[in-house]
Amino acid sequence: MIHTLLLLALQTPILPESGEVHLRNIRQLTFGGENAEAYFASSGRQLIFQRTESDSGCDQQYIMNVDGSAMHRVSSGAGRTTCGYFFARDTRIFYASTEHGGRACPPRPDYSHGYVWALFNYDIYVADSSGAHARRLTDNPGYDAEGTLSPDGQTIVFTSLRSGDLDIYTMRTDGSHLRRLTRTLGYDGGPFFSPDGQLIVYRAYHPATAKDSADYRALLTQHLVRPTTMDLWVMNADGSHQRRITNLPGASFAPYFAPDGRRIIFASNYQNPRSRNFDLYVVNLDGTGLEQVTTSPDFDAFPMFSPDGTLLVWASNRHGAHPGETNIFIAEWAP
């Protein structure tokens, strides 16, 4: 990562907010629009992320260097995409897309139901890192998305609606050896492997009452989910020993393992569950030691550590030219 740190040193750093003691030499990598879910290549030198296209209003997949240079689109521009990731020693990528359903951008959900996420007809696609030779890896009439990769590069863990519920599955990078890991009614998603590949952390909402279950099922029939209540869970890589990490008000999501494999960094609005003021936090695997990482009065989420643990990348509304603008930021991590 020496080359990466030298590139970042050439940029003017942004001062952290008061209390952001773990973040040093913050740099803004994107400027304008909606940019999110930036994930490192295994080399630590590039990021793949989703960016809203100004002409279509739909998210597409982009790659850039970790200093923000050489940004270019790698998805086709058709449909909507999400959740890009590198694999095969950074020579290939996978991501979820709706393009098999047509070039048009799927409409945003109807917010008359309250704040909801749409479960678009995503399938997982694989392509060369340039975006060439893209093809569908899954062929399921429903939601297949939120894919990430095991440390050994052999297994994709992802979220699917194929069983009639939002559950976590694993499969090989060629689509074989499909295995369902979760079976509790509710939304299990956003999974990531631990650095040693032995554990999977994820976000979950499991309805607690008959009324909550009915509401959840009714939304699923409309291809919607309400993400306002979620907590973090962890399980063994084979799906066994599922246990809850957090029990906080509001929504806790976007978990990722810290480099030591013993803590989780995540986003939460638990201090004000009705707000969009999400901050980053770290917590031990047993739920103890909760510590706030960001203190910006706006949205901070989707954290990921670089492969060597020296850098943190995340999405934030801070320093936006317009309200609600979301950009990608990177900082040196001070343990």
Side-chain angles (χ1 to χ4, degrees):
M1 295 295 292
I2 295 176
H3 175 68
T4 298
L5 294 174
L6 287 175
L7 288 173
L8 292 172
L10 298 175
Q11 302 177 15
T12 302
I14 297 169
L15 292 176
E17 300 286 336
S18 176
E20 295 183 339
V21 298
H22 291 292
L23 305 178
R24 296 176 182 169
N25 296 321
I26 300 172
R27 268 73 173 184
Q28 184 172 343
L29 302 184
T30 63
F31 296 85
E34 297 178 28
N35 307 269
E37 295 194 57
Y39 300 132
F40 280 99
S42 62
S43 68
R45 295 184 177 182
Q46 290 182 303
L47 295 161
I48 186 169
F49 66 105
Q50 63 191 47
R51 178 180 177 87
T52 302
E53 302 259 276
S54 58
D55 54 347
S56 71
C58 242
D59 291 332
Q60 294 293 322
Q61 295 299 304
Y62 281 75
I63 286 176
M64 63 180 168
N65 295 332
V66 293
D67 63 353
S69 64
M71 183 189 301
H72 59 285
R73 192 180 74 199
V74 290
S75 55
S76 70
R80 184 187 294 273
T81 74
T82 189
C83 306
Y85 221 81
F86 288 94
F87 75 112
R89 297 182 179 179
D90 302 339
T91 63
R92 309 197 74 201
I93 56 174
F94 60 81
Y95 56 91
S97 176
T98 65
E99 66 177 270
H100 50 277
R103 292 194 59 84
C105 180
R108 293 184 180 274
D110 178 4
Y111 290 122
S112 65
H113 299 282
Y115 182 63
V116 290
W117 286 349
L119 301 173
F120 295 115
N121 183 19
Y122 284 118
D123 268 315
I124 294 176
Y125 284 67
V126 294
D128 296 342
S129 60
S130 66
H133 306 112
R135 64 175 180 85
R136 287 167 78 180
L137 188 63
T138 62
D139 187 2
N140 179 53
Y143 185 86
D144 285 304
E146 305 176 24
T148 62
L149 189 69
S150 61
D152 64 6
Q154 302 299 309
T155 302
I156 296 173
V157 61
F158 66 105
T159 302
S160 178
L161 193 54
R162 64 185 61 213
S163 66
D165 193 12
L166 286 164
D167 283 303
I168 295 173
Y169 291 75
T170 55
M171 64 181 172
R172 297 283 176 82
T173 55
D174 63 2
S176 66
H177 294 83
L178 181 71
R179 183 175 187 178
R180 183 178 175 184
L181 301 186
T182 61
R183 295 179 181 273
T184 303
L185 178 69
Y187 183 9
D188 297 301
F192 277 93
F193 281 95
S194 60
D196 62 6
Q198 299 300 304
L199 301 174
I200 294 171
V201 66
Y202 58 103
R203 63 183 178 228
Y205 164 66
H206 299 149
T209 66
K211 181 179 182 300
D212 290 342
S213 297
D215 178 66
Y216 173 76
R217 291 182 188 275
L219 285 175
L220 279 189
T221 64
Q222 302 171 70
H223 306 289
L224 299 171
V225 67
R226 183 172 290 115
T228 51
T229 302
M230 287 188 288
D231 270 297
L232 307 188
W233 287 63
V234 68
M235 60 183 164
N236 294 341
D238 63 0
S240 63
H241 194 30
Q242 297 173 11
R243 62 267 194 200
R244 189 172 184 168
I245 299 175
T246 62
N247 188 8
L248 299 170
S252 296
F253 78 113
Y256 191 81
F257 277 91
D260 59 17
R262 298 191 298 270
R263 293 176 298 163
I264 303 296
I265 189 168
F266 66 102
S268 182
N269 67 345
Y270 86 92
Q271 296 194 53
N272 187 359
R274 293 183 178 274
S275 78
R276 290 192 76 253
N277 182 20
F278 284 81
D279 276 305
L280 301 183
Y281 297 83
V282 289
V283 67
N284 295 327
L285 280 176
D286 63 0
T288 63
L290 182 67
E291 180 184 3
Q292 189 167 348
V293 174
T294 63
T295 59
S296 170
D298 293 303
F299 179 84
D300 289 284
F302 304 112
M304 183 187 189
F305 287 100
S306 59
D308 67 356
T310 62
L311 300 173
L312 181 75
V313 67
W314 79 102
S316 179
N317 289 160
R318 65 181 67 199
H319 299 287
H322 305 283
E325 184 178 291
T326 307
N327 285 296
I328 305 300
F329 291 79
I330 196 168
E332 295 174 30
W333 178 255

